[in-house]
Amino acid sequence: ITHPVVGWTTMAAATLGWHVPAAYELAIQDPAWHLVEHLTMLGAGLLFWLPVVQPFPIRSPWPRIAMIPYLVTADIVNTVVSAALAFASAPVYGWYATVSAAHGVDAVRDQQLAAGLMWVPGNLAFLVPAMVITARWLLGRSVVDRTPVATPTSAGVALRVLPAASDRGDLLRTPVLGRLLGSARFRLGLRLVSLAVLIGIAVDGILGPDESPMNLAGTLPWTHWRGGVVLLALLLGNVACFACPLVAPRGVLRRWIRPTRKWPRALRSKWIAVALVVVWLVVYEAFDLWDSPFATAMLLLGLVGAATCVDLLFEGSAFCRYVCPVGQYQMATSTMSSRTVSAIDPRRCDTCTTRDCLVGGPRGPGCGLDLLIPKKSGNLDCTFCLDCVTACPHDNVGIVRQVPGADLATADLRSGFGRLARRLDVGVLLGVIAIGGIVNAAGMTAPVVEAMDRITVGPRWLVEAAFVLVAIVVGLLVLSLGSIGDRDVPWTERLVRAGLAVTPLGTAMWIVHFGFHLVTGWPTAEAALTRVGHDLGTTAQMPDRILSCCVPPPDWMLPAELFALSIGLAGSLGVAWWGWRAASVNAGSAASPGVVTRRWLPSAVVLVGLWAITAWI
C-alpha cells in the first residue's frame, strides 16, 4: 500500500470524492460521517506523502525524479477542485447558502475565499517539494557530470578523463528533419517563403477590408502567429527567429553588399531594445494595432525595411541582437524552452583552434551574434539561425535538450554577455517583458477597461498609454522589492536576478494570453482566407461577417490556464532560490539551504503576489 500509484490514487479519490456535494453535505451534517471524512483524508495524505518523504524503512520503487510528475499531477487535481469552487456563480453546497444568510455573509464570496485558501497554499504544498526535488536532482547530475576521473598511467601521472558524453536528443540527428535543418539553403528558402507570406499579408492589409476579422493582417499576425510560435518555442526553441522573414533580405543581398561597419560600442547593450519593447507595449494598447489591418501592414513592412537597412550597414546580426523588440521577446520566451543550440560534446571543442562556429570558415559564416558555442549557455541572444551548425567542421553543434530556465538561475560567465548576473540591461529587459505581459493581458479585462472608461481627462489613447507606462513602472518597482534578501550581494546583481526570476511566470502569462486568443479566434483564419479567395476569384463563397474572438472558451481552458500559471510560478520560485544560492556563493557569504531560503523569501512573496494578479486576470 506504500506504492506511489496507491498514494496518488487515494489522494485524488479523497479530494474529488469528498467535494461532491452529496458526500460533502452528508459529512458536514452527520458527525459519524464527518469523522470518516477526516480519517480518509488523513490516511490518503499519509499514503500520498510516504513516497515523497520516504521515512525509514519506506523506499519508493520509482526513481526520485518520478516524484516531480507525481506531485505536479496531484496539484492538477487540487487546481480543478479549487477552480470549480472559485468560479462557480452560485453556492455549490446548499447547506452553506442557508447558514451564510443567517450570519449575514455572502455565500459566494465565502466560497471564493475558501477556494483561494485551498488553491494558493495547496499549490505551494505540491510545487515547492517538486521544485526542491528538481533542484537536488539537477545539482546531483551537475556534480557527477563535471567531476573528472583520475586515471593512473604507467608513469604514475594522474590524467583528467571526463565521462562519456550522454545522449542529449539532438534534433539534427533525426533522419529527415535533421537534414533539412542542417541545410543552409533550406533555412534561407524557408525565410524567403516567410517573407513572401508577410508581403501577402501586408498587401491584404493595405488593399483589403478594414474589418480585422476579415483581413489577413487583422487575423494571422495577431491571433495565429503569436499563439503558434509561443507554444512552439517551448517545444523546439526560438522557432520564430529561425524562420524570421525580416532577415531574409539580408541572406540574399549580402552576397553583393558586404557591410564593413561595426555596431557602435556605446550602443552594445539592451537599452535600445528595452525602450522599443516599452514603446511597442504602449503603442499596441493605446492605438489598438490589432484592430487596424493597414497599421499592421505598415508595421510589418517597416520592420522588414529597418532590419534590412541595419543589416546592410553593420556587420553580424546587429538588428537581431540590439534592436528588434519582437526578437527580444522571442529569445526571452525561449529561455523556457526544452531545446537549445549547444555543443554536443564539449570535449571536442577543447581541441578546436579555428573557432569556425564564431568567426566562420570554409563551410559557412559564423555566429552573427558573437556567441562562441562551447561558452554559450541557454537561448538568450540566440536566434536559432543555425549558421554555427553549418560552419562547424566537426559537426559538433546540435539542437539538444536542456532544463528550461536553468541558465537563468546560474547567470554565470558566458559568451556574448560576460557575467549575466551583472548585466542590468538584460535584467531590466526580461523584467519589462514579463511585467509587460501581465499589463498587456490586464488591459483587456473588463474591470480595467471600465476603470479607464471612467477617466475623462484627455483623449482615450493618452489614458491607455499612461496606464501601460505607469503599470510597467509600478510592476518593476514591486519586482525590485524581491532583491532585498542578501546585502552582501551587489545591488546590480540583486536587481538583475529579480528580472531573471520573473521570466518563467511572465512566459506563462504570455502563453496563457496568446493561447486564449488562438483557441477562441481560430476560425478567423478560415474566414479571412475564404474572403481572399473570393476576391481573387478562386471561390464563389463569401464568408459571413464574424468577430475577432468568435468561439466561446471551452470548459477546459480556465483550469489549463491556471495550471500553466502555477507551473510558471514554480519555475520562478526555483530560479529565484537557485539564483540567491549562486549569488551567495559568488559573494563568499553563507549558502546553506536555511540561509538561502531566508534571503529568498522576499522574492518569493513578490512572485506569489504577481501570480495572484495573473490568476485574477
Side-chain angles (χ1 to χ4, degrees), residues 93-107:
Y93 308 112
W95 189 88
Y96 279 120
T98 304
V99 173
S100 298
H103 288 277
V105 177
D106 185 337

Side-chain angles (χ1 to χ4, degrees), residues 233-609:
L234 295 182
L235 301 175
L236 301 176
N238 196 352
V239 175
C241 289
F242 167 78
C244 180
L246 306 186
V247 299
R250 176 185 74 192
V252 176
L253 295 176
R254 276 191 177 179
R255 301 186 180 191
W256 300 280
I257 303 175
R258 299 280 185 176
T260 57
R261 297 179 179 86
K262 294 185 179 297
W263 187 254
R265 184 175 296 275
L267 301 179
R268 294 178 189 176
S269 68
K270 298 293 186 182
W271 293 118
I272 293 178
V274 169
L276 290 176
V277 169
V278 173
V279 169
W280 165 261
L281 291 168
V282 170
V283 171
Y284 174 86
E285 190 69 31
F287 298 104
D288 294 337
L289 295 181
W290 54 271
D291 199 31
S292 174
F294 181 81
T296 300
M298 293 296 100
L299 175 65
L300 294 175
L301 296 177
L303 285 172
V304 174
T308 303
C309 290
V310 171
D311 287 338
L312 294 183
L313 284 174
F314 299 99
E315 294 178 342
S317 302
F319 181 81
C320 303
R321 188 177 187 184
Y322 301 115
V323 180
C324 183
V326 181
Q328 305 303 324
Y329 161 78
Q330 296 295 346
M331 288 184 281
T333 304
S334 296
T335 59
M336 293 298 103
S337 173
S338 59
R339 293 281 172 177
T340 187
V341 177
S342 177
I344 299 171
D345 186 355
R347 297 172 301 180
R348 185 173 296 180
C349 296
D350 294 340
T351 62
C352 178
T353 58
T354 57
R355 301 195 303 173
D356 291 5
C357 62
L358 176 66
V359 300
R363 299 178 58 169
C367 180
L369 295 110
D370 293 331
L371 299 176
L372 180 63
I373 286 296
K375 301 295 183 182
K376 172 184 174 293
S377 179
N379 287 332
L380 284 178
D381 264 10
C382 179
T383 60
F384 271 60
C385 67
L386 302 186
D387 286 343
C388 55
V389 173
T390 304
C392 178
H394 309 293
D395 294 326
N396 193 39
V397 183
I399 305 175
V400 299
R401 290 191 296 262
Q402 69 164 359
V403 178
D407 68 296
L408 299 179
T410 55
D412 52 5
L413 192 67
R414 62 188 66 193
S415 180
F417 289 94
R419 189 171 295 280
L420 181 61
R422 302 296 174 86
R423 289 289 301 271
L424 184 60
D425 56 330
V426 177
V428 173
L429 175 67
L430 294 177
V432 166
I433 291 173
I435 298 298
I438 298 175
V439 173
N440 182 254
M444 303 187 74
T445 60
V448 173
V449 172
E450 292 169 0
M452 287 191 287
D453 286 341
R454 290 193 292 268
I455 300 175
T456 58
V457 179
R460 177 56 183 258
W461 69 266
L462 185 60
V463 173
E464 294 182 347
F467 160 74
V468 174
L469 279 175
V470 172
I472 290 176
V473 171
V474 171
L476 291 177
L477 291 176
V478 171
L479 186 61
S480 68
L481 295 177
S483 65
I484 64 176
D486 189 352
R487 301 299 174 87
D488 296 333
V489 178
W491 70 271
T492 301
E493 179 171 348
R494 285 184 271 150
L495 291 175
V496 172
R497 289 194 179 277
L500 299 175
V502 78
T503 299
L505 180 60
T507 300
M509 184 72 254
W510 284 111
I511 292 170
V512 165
H513 184 184
F514 290 165
F516 174 85
H517 289 300
L518 181 64
V519 172
T520 60
W522 183 260
T524 55
E526 179 184 0
L529 290 170
T530 303
R531 196 272 309 160
V532 170
H534 178 271
D535 290 352
L536 295 177
T538 59
T539 177
Q541 180 184 1
M542 183 64 182
D544 297 330
R545 293 287 188 260
I546 62 173
L547 300 175
S548 295
C549 195
C550 52
V551 176
D555 293 339
W556 56 263
M557 171 147 277
L558 183 60
E561 290 175 326
L562 294 167
F563 177 66
L565 293 173
S566 297
I567 294 297
L569 172 63
S572 286
L573 292 174
V575 171
W577 195 93
W578 281 91
W580 279 114
R581 183 181 185 276
S584 299
V585 171
N586 292 335
S589 58
S592 65
V595 172
V596 172
T597 300
R598 286 194 294 273
R599 294 167 178 166
W600 164 82
L601 282 177
S603 56
V605 171
V606 170
L607 291 170
V608 171

